[in-house]
Amino acid sequence: IIITLFAYFLQIFVYIRMEKYYKYLAIIPFITVIIIALQACAVMQPLSGGPDDTTPPEVTEVYPENNTLNFYDNVLKLRFSEYLDKASAVENIRITPSLKVNYSWSGKQLRIKMLENPKPNTTYCLTIEAGYKDLSGNPPSHTQSFIFSTGNNIDSAYISGRTNKLTGYTLFAYKLDGINADTLDIRRNAPDYSLKIGGSGDFKLQALPEGKYRLFLVNDRNSDGLYTEGSEEIALFTRDLNVSMTHSPKNVVFHKAKLFDYSSPEIMEATAMDSRTVLAKFNKPIDTNSIDAGAFYVVNSTNRRIPAIAAYIAPKDSQSVLINTASAINEEEEYHFIIEKLSDINANSIKEMLKSDSFFGSGKRYDVSPVTIAFSIKDSVKDIPLSAEFYVDYSRAIKEPNMGNITLKQEGKKKALAVSAKFINSNRIAISPESPLVSNTNYSIEVGLSEVQSVFDEAVSDTTISASFTTEDLRLNGSAFGTLKVNGTNIYNSKKYQIILSSADGKREVITYADSLGNWSFPSLKEGEYNISIAIDENENGIIDYGRVFPYTPAERYIPNAKQIKIAQRWKIDNIIVEIED
């Protein structure tokens, strides 16, 4: 616009001031038109590419065609409706029973070449799950599956179900017919069928022949088609499944996965930290509650035994144990560290006496002054449970039985409340009120350390650790009461069925048992939405067992989200009926 105006005024100026050159004025409009045209051409405009692509991709052609019989080729083909993100497509291809294959692309067509011959008289299922995308990022609207057989018939049985937040895990299915199921070891035997779990968590294992199947859900991190104990999480199903052309199990549910580890703890090394302290490092985290000072000692080269007077988990290192010896270990002597009893956090106990490699004593003077390194409650914290337990941790072992002068008081009351205290191990004590606390009430707790001594009879510095806190407010809570029906009727085994309420945000979970008539209750619940799940405690040990991989023991049954309820403040919900089949 500026250039155009400049040219216009230039034309007027020349016309007025330079009349004798009027014969040249005729070209000025022409120049002006050129300038305007150039200006228009110079304006930057975004290119118009039409509307955004929002069409979901899908398979338009497949080879072989769905339900093909007597297939003998070694190549499968999928043609898509548009160009894809190739990597995402390949990641979502599943073939069951599994085959070794490689992939190649030609435009919109994916070619799948088998690197091994398919089994004769076997039904295969080629699935592309709804996790891939086209070049515009659009996912497909649904999973597509195609079935073909190398024999004269199609196996049409299937197993379907869902998982609980176990996306990316792989379903392992083993056909038990014709084998000794007791010898099946999934650490060494590849599954007959496998299927990776997609984003929805739902699965459908198709094209199965009739028979009995055993299911596992494995986080197959190394993609080797086997379960690696100790490094891959696994969920076991609750029973073996009978599958036939007239019966395809549905609603198969996997609950939680666990990192199983059946190996016993081992000593990696032992080191003398000072003349009365030995540090033993293990290959895995150790269970604090399994540590007993009486089960530890050291011996020298002449087999002279020095017992431990204290043992505890090393601060900030759950794989190491510190022990204090009854007498000094000398710098010039060689020793071994001995353990007679210990367990890791997976409850694996040592099978026999453990002995470390040799190590030399230390001439360094021992540390005699333990200090508090942690108090489990922070000052001015709120919503403390009415049956709370508090912990005091020390940097070094302290001498039993004195755990300090413990005082727990309710605000406005002079008399201290009765508390019980106990040693968890040599450097940790637990404190709990002997009676439940009062809702929405302020309390203070103090632990005076003036009389606490180390195991070497040295006094801890004369200090007091303290904290104030407020208990949870139950006045606004609601409540829920209901009945569990099993197979259409009330139950009569009150120790078997757990009722589990989980808040929708995942922050709270409370558990109770149904009584002999199936009745259950939660008299105090915070406002919010809850899912009701049922766990069947078959061995009535008070916990839901995850099973055992080998020798095989199935997991106990868990039925998630059997019902949903909403709790309002001060509101009581009666007659909640939860029905399951067992």
Side-chain angles (χ1 to χ4, degrees), residues 491-536:
I491 62 172
Y492 299 97
N493 185 342
S494 60
K495 296 181 180 180
K496 183 177 178 182
Y497 296 94
Q498 283 187 358
I499 316 298
I500 305 170
L501 251 67
S502 304
S503 60
D505 59 10
K507 294 181 179 179
R508 298 185 299 277
E509 183 176 275
V510 288
I511 300 174
T512 190
Y513 279 89
D515 66 17
S516 59
L517 297 178
N519 298 319
W520 52 266
S521 65
F522 293 97
S524 181
L525 293 170
K526 290 184 178 294
E527 182 181 25
E529 296 181 352
Y530 291 83
N531 293 318
I532 303 179
S533 301
I534 309 298
I536 304 175

Side-chain angles (χ1 to χ4, degrees), residues 119-148:
K119 298 177 183 178
N121 300 313
T122 301
T123 301
Y124 285 88
C125 180
L126 170 62
T127 298
I128 180 160
E129 296 176 345
Y132 67 97
K133 297 178 181 180
D134 64 20
L135 294 182
S136 298
N138 299 310
S141 58
H142 59 284
T143 292
Q144 292 179 273
S145 296
F146 308 95
I147 295 173
F148 62 93

Side-chain angles (χ1 to χ4, degrees), residues 184 186-187 214 216 227 229 234 236-237 260-263 346 348 351 545-556:
L184 175 63
I186 70 171
R187 300 170 299 181
R214 182 170 293 173
F216 304 87
Y227 168 60
E229 180 184 307
I234 185 171
L236 286 70
F237 191 53
F260 284 89
D261 179 9
Y262 302 120
S263 59
N346 292 314
N348 297 309
K351 291 185 172 62
D545 295 313
Y546 291 90
R548 188 177 178 91
V549 174
F550 190 83
Y552 174 74
T553 304
E556 291 184 325

Side-chain angles (χ1 to χ4, degrees), residues 159 171-173 213-217 235-237 241 252 254 552:
I159 299 173
L171 179 68
F172 284 13
Y213 291 84
R214 182 170 293 173
L215 303 183
F216 304 87
L217 200 60
L236 286 70
F237 191 53
L241 294 172
V252 172
F254 287 91
Y552 174 74

Side-chain angles (χ1 to χ4, degrees), residues 306-372:
I306 304 175
I309 57 174
Y312 52 98
I313 294 288
K316 301 181 181 180
D317 185 2
S318 61
Q319 293 187 202
S320 295
V321 174
L322 286 166
I323 71 158
N324 297 125
T325 56
S327 60
I329 50 176
N330 301 318
E331 184 175 9
E332 66 275 8
E333 283 195 75
E334 189 176 8
Y335 296 89
H336 290 281
F337 181 80
I338 308 295
I339 308 169
E340 295 181 340
K341 184 179 67 174
L342 189 73
S343 299
D344 63 21
I345 58 174
N346 292 314
N348 297 309
S349 300
I350 60 171
K351 291 185 172 62
E352 56 188 21
M353 184 177 68
L354 285 180
K355 182 178 181 180
S356 74
D357 291 333
S358 61
F359 66 95
F360 284 91
S362 171
K364 182 181 178 181
R365 178 171 170 76
Y366 50 85
D367 188 342
V368 297
S369 54
V371 295
T372 54

Side-chain angles (χ1 to χ4, degrees), residues 157-159 208-213 241-245 247-249:
Y158 63 88
I159 299 173
L208 298 179
E210 293 185 331
K212 179 177 285 189
Y213 291 84
L241 294 172
N242 290 308
V243 176
S244 68
M245 297 305 166
H247 174 68
S248 292

